[in-house]
């Protein structure tokens, strides 16, 4: 976008399924990529492990396609 925003983090360990659904819908409406992550900060930090939160296959493909254009 003109503001430099390419994606919206819809999938995160602290997001409820309803939160994620609303964020996915918002991303789609704004033409943004859907992103997500576990917010992993290393083995010494509590929380979900690396890769515990991910994207759908379709959103992963869109993300990788966009990354290839950069």
């Amino acid at each position: 976008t003109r503001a430099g925003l390419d994606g919206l983090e819809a999938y995160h360990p602290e997001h409820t399924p309803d939160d994620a659904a609303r964020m996915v819908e918002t991303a789609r409406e704004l033409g943004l990529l859907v992103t997500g992550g576990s917010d992993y900060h290393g083995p010494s930090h509590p929380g979900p492990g690396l890769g515990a939160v991910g994207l759908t296959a379709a959103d992963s493909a869109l993300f990788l396609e966009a990354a290839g254009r950069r």
Side-chain angles (χ1 to χ4, degrees), residues 1 3 11 14 16 18 21-22 24 26 29-30 32 44 48 50 53-54 56 60 67 69:
T1 68
Y11 301 107
E14 294 182 9
T16 67
D18 285 343
R22 278 192 305 276
V24 167
T26 299
E29 289 172 357
L30 297 174
L32 299 173
S44 63
L50 184 63
V53 177
T56 65
S60 292
R69 290 192 300 236

Side-chain angles (χ1 to χ4, degrees), residues 2-70:
R2 289 185 302 150
L5 184 67
D6 292 323
L8 180 64
E9 185 175 38
Y11 301 107
H12 185 276
E14 294 182 9
H15 295 171
T16 67
D18 285 343
D19 291 339
R22 278 192 305 276
M23 290 185 193
V24 167
E25 182 179 346
T26 299
R28 302 261 190 266
E29 289 172 357
L30 297 174
L32 299 173
L33 294 167
V34 174
T35 71
S38 63
D39 208 14
Y40 181 73
H41 291 274
S44 63
H45 295 273
L50 184 63
V53 177
L55 302 175
T56 65
D59 284 320
S60 292
L62 290 171
F63 184 88
L64 292 172
E65 179 184 329
R69 290 192 300 236
R70 306 255 185 262

